[in-house]
Amino acid sequence: MSQTDRIAFVIFGVTGDLTRRKLIPALYELCVSDRLPMPIDIIGFARRDLTDASMKNMLQTGITSFA
């Protein structure tokens, strides 16, 4: 993969339990072990209306609990 290639990882239902317990901790572990291609964009869609801060807090809680 060349330096100009970008990867987009799209998560539908980003506020759900699967994302918090499995997807985000797995992406975190891949990033820590340098196994994710860079640059990468992670895009999340959800039906719940959350602020950026509350979304980051929810995902951080998933990382600290399950990664």
Side-chain angles (χ1 to χ4, degrees), residues 14-55:
V14 73
T15 58
D17 191 53
L18 175 67
T19 300
R20 185 177 62 85
R21 294 175 58 100
K22 299 291 183 180
L23 294 178
I24 293 299
L27 287 171
Y28 171 79
E29 293 292 340
L30 287 171
C31 184
V32 167
S33 63
D34 286 332
R35 298 188 70 198
L36 277 180
M38 292 297 173
I40 187 169
D41 298 310
I42 300 175
I43 304 162
F45 289 95
R47 291 189 294 179
R48 286 191 244 172
D49 190 22
L50 297 176
T51 65
D52 287 344
S54 61
M55 174 62 74

Side-chain angles (χ1 to χ4, degrees), residues 6 8-9 16 18 20 26-27 39 46 56 58 63:
R6 289 190 78 93
F9 191 88
L18 175 67
R20 185 177 62 85
L27 287 171
K56 288 177 185 177
M58 183 190 76
I63 290 170

